Amino acid sequence: MDTLREQLEGARFLVGVELVSIRGSMSEATAVRVRALATQLVDRPEVDWISITDNAGGNPQLHPQALGKPILYAGKEVVIHLTCKDLNRNALESAAWQLDSEGFHNVLAMTGDYPVGGSGGRAKPVFDLDSVGLIAMLDRMNRGFDDKHLKTSFCIGAVTSNTKLREGEVVPQYLKLAKKIECGAHFIINQVGFDARKARELKRWMDGHGIGHTPLVGNVYVLTARAARLFAAGRVAGIVVTPALLELCERHGRSPDGGKAFFREFAARQMAIFRGLGYRGAYLGGIHDLATVERVLEIERTFGSDDWKAFAREIAFGRPGEFFAYPDEVEAGGATAGGARPAAETAARAGERPAARPVRKARGRRAGLLYAFSRWTHALMFTPGRLLSRWGAKLVARSRDPAQGPPPLRVLERATKAALFRCKDCGDCSLPDVAFLCPESQCAKNQRNGPCGGTREGRCEVDGYGECIWLRAYERLKAAGTELALLDHAPVLQNQALRGTSSWANNWLGRDHSALRADTHAAPPHPATPHTTPSSELRDAGLRDAELRDAQLRDAELRGQPQPPNPNPQSPAAARPHG
Ligand code: SF4
């Protein structure tokens, strides 16, 4: 049987089914039911793969490998979900080695939902890496970690979430999607959504931005009235059910069959839309029995080749003021349930106001001033080769503790950064990456490579965090007309060895990720593999440098010596004076 990667390279429209893991052991009654369904799905030739969730919704559950093993050994392709919420980078690497050793070669790499449950109280969220960092790590494993290890052969999937209300939510999702593909994602699944215009927009964006070659799979959730209620209440981060759709679901839920026939037909129509739009397959979720899968597929087979166009006009549940990246998207979709308004990609470039809610003026002005001031001082102090940057490097290198730098400077750094940015002293500063907003203190998941998929109408999925920092960052850049450059940099992997040290000193002496980024772009390319892109070669060089520098830092710490200089003599960071 073909692997998932081979199937994705073919032309046949694929079908995947998602199984949600359960809380409890394999002997629990619920696990027995899921296993029975898995056994039935294994026998269905029209089901190409089975996906198994990882602590879905942020709740503790049976490990997906436990449910996946019997499926894998029965000969079906399995996709294991791997998320960053419960495991740090070392644990993720261990998990990946184990997956590879046991024969699981398909991984859906995600940031993951914020933990909501746990034994004895809520679990501590990890988020040491994000989805981009995890994809980059798996890609590196596929290349044998600098040829020192056997190569894994992961087929890496990623998720994108574009059913968002505001421009500052939608566009950063697309930019992050490109970053995921650049880092090694082999296929993309979109988040559950019920608006064909957004499905079309995603495909169109990918085709128009040079990433359309990556297989895109459409998420089809088989609704029930109860599930619609949960989604409408915002109980599942990133999934939107509008009042109009909820009313439809409630109405059909009251029918004698509880709406079963309607919801299956609805799912089949969604599937037809994805097929018509040129997606590579459909990913069925909300599945509790084989009959539902069979019926959805059966209904979809009865449709004519152009029927999906009419379905696309029906399944267009948008929200008032919703942002669309292309001006003709709403008209092309037909019905505008909820009164969605278009806005153009060109508008985004030209600095026009988004169709969605504008930024409040007073706050916007204050944010604008702080942003302009931060950019100016950052350029003044940290541009390699400039006077202050050279002085800073000299001062730090001559100080008694080069990890902290001269005490008066350190006091100044702490006081100004805490007051202006709510700095948490992580030592590997990402302020310039997020338009001078601190992800450590203001992002619940410490996202440094773009937003997670959990925003709700611009707000963070986690209560108490207000507007998503990436939306705020986007709006700051948009005011300067540079918003499409939001993620125009190598992936940021925060170095925990720098925590509690001076980020100014780390920058001046080339110890933080910004210096690695300079190194990354200066590093010579090394031999490509079939899955290696030029950017992944460069990124890999940066990762090797990070490890080397980490080891040197540890060494120097143990010996009580000053921190070592940048090991790459070609890099701009290394060219700085070190006293
Ligand atoms: S601030 Fe944004 S990126 Fe961070 S957790 Fe909240 S929604 Fe996700």
Side-chain angles (χ1 to χ4, degrees):
M1 187 187 174
D2 287 347
T3 63
L4 178 58
R5 191 188 298 208
E6 287 162 347
Q7 292 179 45
L8 287 166
E9 280 163 9
R12 193 168 53 82
F13 189 77
L14 304 176
V15 175
V17 175
E18 179 180 274
L19 293 183
V20 178
S21 191
I22 53 100
R23 191 171 190 177
S25 78
M26 289 285 272
S27 322
E28 298 269 348
T30 40
V32 171
R33 276 202 294 278
V34 175
R35 283 163 57 195
L37 172 56
T39 308
Q40 292 171 322
L41 290 169
V42 164
D43 292 335
R44 305 305 310 177
E46 60 272 53
V47 173
D48 297 291
W49 83 89
I50 297 172
S51 270
I52 307 175
T53 58
D54 169 21
N55 289 353
N59 293 296
Q61 286 166 339
L62 176 66
H63 199 283
Q65 272 159 271
L67 284 170
K69 264 182 209 168
I71 305 172
L72 184 75
Y73 297 162
K76 195 63 121 192
E77 283 292 286
V78 178
V79 176
I80 296 287
H81 297 200
L82 190 59
T83 63
C84 306
K85 60 187 181 299
D86 304 316
L87 304 174
N88 69 12
R89 68 191 75 184
N90 290 357
L92 285 167
E93 189 184 320
S94 300
W97 289 126
Q98 187 177 352
L99 286 170
D100 184 70
S101 304
E102 292 182 348
F104 291 100
H105 299 301
N106 309 309
V107 175
L108 192 65
M110 293 170 285
T111 296
D113 299 318
Y114 197 82
V116 296
S119 167
R122 178 182 286 186
K124 185 175 180 181
V126 179
F127 301 113
D128 177 32
L129 293 183
D130 57 16
S131 52
V132 170
L134 176 57
I135 290 165
M137 188 183 81
L138 294 171
D139 178 65
R140 194 177 173 212
M141 293 174 81
N142 276 352
R143 289 178 288 114
F145 267 124
D146 314 328
D147 296 329
K148 288 187 201 132
H149 300 275
L150 292 177
K151 292 177 181 177
T152 56
S153 53
F154 290 121
C155 176
I156 308 165
V159 174
T160 191
S161 192
N162 73 328
T163 50
K164 300 291 182 189
L165 182 68
R166 297 172 62 173
E167 177 182 345
E169 297 177 274
V170 177
V171 179
Q173 286 291 337
Y174 288 143
L175 300 177
K176 187 172 184 181
L177 168 62
K179 184 72 52 192
K180 289 175 180 177
I181 292 170
E182 177 193 318
C183 285
H186 296 115
F187 69 99
I188 303 297
I189 299 180
N190 65 349
Q191 175 60 287
V192 173
F194 304 97
D195 190 341
R197 295 163 301 179
K198 285 288 184 186
R200 179 179 13 242
E201 181 185 282
L202 172 59
K203 183 80 177 72
R204 194 169 163 185
W205 182 284
M206 288 180 69
D207 289 343
H209 288 78
I211 50 176
H213 58 277
T214 305
L216 177 61
V217 176
N219 207 325
V220 176
Y221 192 93
V222 184
L223 281 166
T224 60
R226 185 169 166 273
R229 250 172 262 137
L230 286 177
F231 294 151
R235 297 276 295 278
V236 182
I239 303 183
V240 176
V241 162
T242 62
L245 178 57
L246 179 63
E247 198 275 321
L248 186 69
C249 295
E250 294 283 22
R251 184 151 39 89
H252 285 281
R254 289 191 290 273
S255 61
D257 71 345
K260 215 175 239 183
F262 169 78
F263 292 122
R264 288 172 175 178
E265 167 98 20
F266 191 87
R269 290 180 178 207
Q270 277 192 290
M271 194 170 155
I273 293 169
F274 288 127
R275 193 194 287 269
L277 287 173
Y279 280 53
R280 284 289 299 109
Y283 176 68
L284 302 181
I287 300 297
H288 302 287
D289 54 60
L290 181 68
T292 299
V293 178
E294 286 182 325
R295 186 63 191 136
V296 170
L297 299 183
E298 195 178 302
I299 297 170
E300 206 258 342
R301 279 195 291 270
T302 66
F303 296 145
S305 60
D306 275 344
D307 287 353
W308 68 273
K309 292 176 185 166
F311 303 153
R313 284 192 289 275
E314 290 164 13
I315 303 177
F317 294 93
R319 288 165 285 180
E322 189 157 347
F323 173 81
F324 284 85
Y326 299 98
D328 55 343
E329 202 54 69
V330 175
E331 291 79 10
T336 57
R341 290 170 53 203
E345 183 191 358
T346 44
R349 287 184 190 280
E352 287 174 21
R353 279 271 150 238
R357 248 177 272 176
V359 189
R360 282 189 304 273
K361 270 201 174 137
R363 198 205 66 184
R365 257 201 307 274
R366 276 201 308 277
L369 278 176
L370 178 60
Y371 176 55
F373 174 73
S374 308
R375 273 185 65 177
W376 180 73
T377 48
H378 185 84
L380 204 65
M381 290 172 66
F382 301 108
T383 304
R386 286 187 85 160
L387 191 65
L388 284 182
S389 178
R390 292 203 309 270
W391 277 358
K394 273 186 193 161
L395 277 175
V396 170
R398 286 177 186 156
S399 66
R400 187 171 299 192
D401 180 0
Q404 300 295 343
L409 210 56
R410 183 75 170 111
V411 170
L412 181 68
E413 177 192 345
R414 276 203 170 124
T416 52
K417 287 184 71 179
L420 293 176
F421 309 111
R422 291 156 58 190
C423 167
K424 293 283 184 192
D425 222 21
C426 75
D428 197 2
C429 187
S430 263
L431 284 173
D433 306 319
V434 198
F436 295 94
L437 294 161
C438 174
E440 190 84 11
S441 63
Q442 293 164 62
C443 171
K445 300 181 187 172
N446 192 10
Q447 297 289 285
R448 294 183 178 223
N449 294 294
C452 75
T455 52
R456 291 194 197 103
E457 305 191 347
R459 298 185 72 77
C460 177
E461 70 170 85
V462 182
D463 290 342
Y465 281 84
E467 279 187 333
C468 172
I469 57 159
W470 285 97
L471 174 135
R472 291 160 59 203
Y474 179 87
E475 289 180 347
R476 283 183 172 192
L477 263 59
K478 186 165 171 119
T482 56
E483 71 279 10
L484 296 183
L486 181 67
L487 297 179
D488 247 2
H489 51 71
V492 178
L493 300 177
Q494 187 185 6
N495 186 353
Q496 298 295 339
L498 300 176
R499 190 164 289 282
T501 62
S502 164
S503 65
W504 288 3
N506 294 331
N507 185 292
W508 284 325
L509 290 193
R511 293 184 298 230
D512 68 1
H513 73 270
S514 61
L516 292 176
R517 180 179 307 157
D519 291 354
T520 301
H521 288 288
H526 58 101
T529 68
H531 303 293
T532 305
T533 60
S535 57
S536 64
E537 291 163 13
L538 296 171
R539 183 187 60 249
D540 196 41
L543 292 169
R544 276 186 283 114
D545 285 350
E547 278 173 7
L548 178 59
R549 195 150 322 148
D550 233 16
Q552 288 178 319
L553 277 168
R554 276 196 309 275
D555 238 30
E557 269 166 22
L558 285 174
R559 295 199 213 113
Q561 288 174 352
Q563 309 300 315
N566 190 317
N568 183 352
Q570 301 302 316
S571 76
R576 294 175 185 141
H578 295 288

PDB file of all heavy atoms in Angstrom, residues 311-322:
ATOM      1  N   PHE A 311     -23.448  24.571  -3.858  1.00  0.00           N
ATOM      2  CA  PHE A 311     -23.217  24.320  -2.423  1.00  0.00           C
ATOM      3  C   PHE A 311     -22.364  25.436  -1.811  1.00  0.00           C
ATOM      4  O   PHE A 311     -22.566  25.845  -0.675  1.00  0.00           O
ATOM      5  CB  PHE A 311     -22.519  22.969  -2.189  1.00  0.00           C
ATOM      6  CG  PHE A 311     -23.246  21.786  -2.760  1.00  0.00           C
ATOM      7  CD1 PHE A 311     -22.543  20.630  -3.130  1.00  0.00           C
ATOM      8  CD2 PHE A 311     -24.630  21.800  -2.925  1.00  0.00           C
ATOM      9  CE1 PHE A 311     -23.203  19.533  -3.650  1.00  0.00           C
ATOM     10  CE2 PHE A 311     -25.299  20.699  -3.457  1.00  0.00           C
ATOM     11  CZ  PHE A 311     -24.580  19.573  -3.830  1.00  0.00           C
ATOM     12  N   ALA A 312     -21.402  25.901  -2.602  1.00  0.00           N
ATOM     13  CA  ALA A 312     -20.505  26.948  -2.085  1.00  0.00           C
ATOM     14  C   ALA A 312     -21.272  28.230  -1.798  1.00  0.00           C
ATOM     15  O   ALA A 312     -20.906  28.987  -0.899  1.00  0.00           O
ATOM     16  CB  ALA A 312     -19.379  27.211  -3.081  1.00  0.00           C
ATOM     17  N   ARG A 313     -22.346  28.460  -2.569  1.00  0.00           N
ATOM     18  CA  ARG A 313     -23.152  29.657  -2.293  1.00  0.00           C
ATOM     19  C   ARG A 313     -23.999  29.463  -1.034  1.00  0.00           C
ATOM     20  O   ARG A 313     -24.282  30.421  -0.325  1.00  0.00           O
ATOM     21  CB  ARG A 313     -24.031  29.992  -3.502  1.00  0.00           C
ATOM     22  CG  ARG A 313     -23.257  30.635  -4.647  1.00  0.00           C
ATOM     23  CD  ARG A 313     -24.161  31.209  -5.706  1.00  0.00           C
ATOM     24  NE  ARG A 313     -24.825  30.156  -6.479  1.00  0.00           N
ATOM     25  CZ  ARG A 313     -24.267  29.552  -7.535  1.00  0.00           C
ATOM     26  NH1 ARG A 313     -23.063  29.899  -7.930  1.00  0.00           N
ATOM     27  NH2 ARG A 313     -24.938  28.610  -8.175  1.00  0.00           N
ATOM     28  N   GLU A 314     -24.367  28.209  -0.754  1.00  0.00           N
ATOM     29  CA  GLU A 314     -25.191  27.933   0.445  1.00  0.00           C
ATOM     30  C   GLU A 314     -24.340  27.937   1.718  1.00  0.00           C
ATOM     31  O   GLU A 314     -24.736  28.479   2.744  1.00  0.00           O
ATOM     32  CB  GLU A 314     -25.835  26.547   0.344  1.00  0.00           C
ATOM     33  CG  GLU A 314     -26.920  26.412  -0.689  1.00  0.00           C
ATOM     34  CD  GLU A 314     -27.210  24.938  -0.973  1.00  0.00           C
ATOM     35  OE1 GLU A 314     -26.755  24.065  -0.208  1.00  0.00           O
ATOM     36  OE2 GLU A 314     -27.895  24.662  -1.965  1.00  0.00           O
ATOM     37  N   ILE A 315     -23.193  27.264   1.634  1.00  0.00           N
ATOM     38  CA  ILE A 315     -22.378  27.126   2.845  1.00  0.00           C
ATOM     39  C   ILE A 315     -21.403  28.297   2.894  1.00  0.00           C
ATOM     40  O   ILE A 315     -20.231  28.200   2.529  1.00  0.00           O
ATOM     41  CB  ILE A 315     -21.667  25.744   2.877  1.00  0.00           C
ATOM     42  CG1 ILE A 315     -22.715  24.642   2.781  1.00  0.00           C
ATOM     43  CG2 ILE A 315     -20.840  25.598   4.156  1.00  0.00           C
ATOM     44  CD1 ILE A 315     -22.161  23.232   2.734  1.00  0.00           C
ATOM     45  N   ALA A 316     -21.943  29.434   3.280  1.00  0.00           N
ATOM     46  CA  ALA A 316     -21.155  30.679   3.304  1.00  0.00           C
ATOM     47  C   ALA A 316     -21.553  31.442   4.567  1.00  0.00           C
ATOM     48  O   ALA A 316     -22.162  32.510   4.506  1.00  0.00           O
ATOM     49  CB  ALA A 316     -21.433  31.487   2.042  1.00  0.00           C
ATOM     50  N   PHE A 317     -21.240  30.856   5.688  1.00  0.00           N
ATOM     51  CA  PHE A 317     -21.646  31.440   6.968  1.00  0.00           C
ATOM     52  C   PHE A 317     -20.545  32.352   7.496  1.00  0.00           C
ATOM     53  O   PHE A 317     -19.596  31.898   8.149  1.00  0.00           O
ATOM     54  CB  PHE A 317     -21.986  30.327   7.965  1.00  0.00           C
ATOM     55  CG  PHE A 317     -23.205  29.545   7.566  1.00  0.00           C
ATOM     56  CD1 PHE A 317     -23.081  28.388   6.814  1.00  0.00           C
ATOM     57  CD2 PHE A 317     -24.459  30.005   7.895  1.00  0.00           C
ATOM     58  CE1 PHE A 317     -24.198  27.678   6.413  1.00  0.00           C
ATOM     59  CE2 PHE A 317     -25.594  29.308   7.493  1.00  0.00           C
ATOM     60  CZ  PHE A 317     -25.457  28.145   6.748  1.00  0.00           C
ATOM     61  N   GLY A 318     -20.672  33.603   7.143  1.00  0.00           N
ATOM     62  CA  GLY A 318     -19.686  34.582   7.583  1.00  0.00           C
ATOM     63  C   GLY A 318     -20.243  35.472   8.684  1.00  0.00           C
ATOM     64  O   GLY A 318     -21.380  35.315   9.109  1.00  0.00           O
ATOM     65  N   ARG A 319     -19.405  36.400   9.129  1.00  0.00           N
ATOM     66  CA  ARG A 319     -19.821  37.323  10.190  1.00  0.00           C
ATOM     67  C   ARG A 319     -19.800  38.752   9.664  1.00  0.00           C
ATOM     68  O   ARG A 319     -19.027  39.072   8.755  1.00  0.00           O
ATOM     69  CB  ARG A 319     -18.855  37.205  11.380  1.00  0.00           C
ATOM     70  CG  ARG A 319     -19.028  35.916  12.140  1.00  0.00           C
ATOM     71  CD  ARG A 319     -17.864  35.665  13.049  1.00  0.00           C
ATOM     72  NE  ARG A 319     -16.686  35.227  12.303  1.00  0.00           N
ATOM     73  CZ  ARG A 319     -15.506  34.932  12.854  1.00  0.00           C
ATOM     74  NH1 ARG A 319     -15.356  35.060  14.151  1.00  0.00           N
ATOM     75  NH2 ARG A 319     -14.502  34.517  12.103  1.00  0.00           N
ATOM     76  N   PRO A 320     -20.629  39.604  10.232  1.00  0.00           N
ATOM     77  CA  PRO A 320     -20.622  41.007   9.771  1.00  0.00           C
ATOM     78  C   PRO A 320     -19.223  41.597   9.900  1.00  0.00           C
ATOM     79  O   PRO A 320     -18.554  41.397  10.918  1.00  0.00           O
ATOM     80  CB  PRO A 320     -21.584  41.703  10.748  1.00  0.00           C
ATOM     81  CG  PRO A 320     -22.421  40.622  11.329  1.00  0.00           C
ATOM     82  CD  PRO A 320     -21.574  39.379  11.332  1.00  0.00           C
ATOM     83  N   GLY A 321     -18.779  42.272   8.863  1.00  0.00           N
ATOM     84  CA  GLY A 321     -17.470  42.936   8.913  1.00  0.00           C
ATOM     85  C   GLY A 321     -16.296  41.996   8.724  1.00  0.00           C
ATOM     86  O   GLY A 321     -15.150  42.396   8.945  1.00  0.00           O
ATOM     87  N   GLU A 322     -16.546  40.756   8.283  1.00  0.00           N
ATOM     88  CA  GLU A 322     -15.450  39.788   8.162  1.00  0.00           C
ATOM     89  C   GLU A 322     -14.489  40.199   7.039  1.00  0.00           C
ATOM     90  O   GLU A 322     -14.911  40.652   5.980  1.00  0.00           O
ATOM     91  CB  GLU A 322     -16.035  38.405   7.879  1.00  0.00           C
ATOM     92  CG  GLU A 322     -15.011  37.314   7.961  1.00  0.00           C
ATOM     93  CD  GLU A 322     -15.643  35.946   8.230  1.00  0.00           C
ATOM     94  OE1 GLU A 322     -16.830  35.901   8.588  1.00  0.00           O
ATOM     95  OE2 GLU A 322     -14.941  34.941   8.058  1.00  0.00           O
TER      96      GLU A 322
END
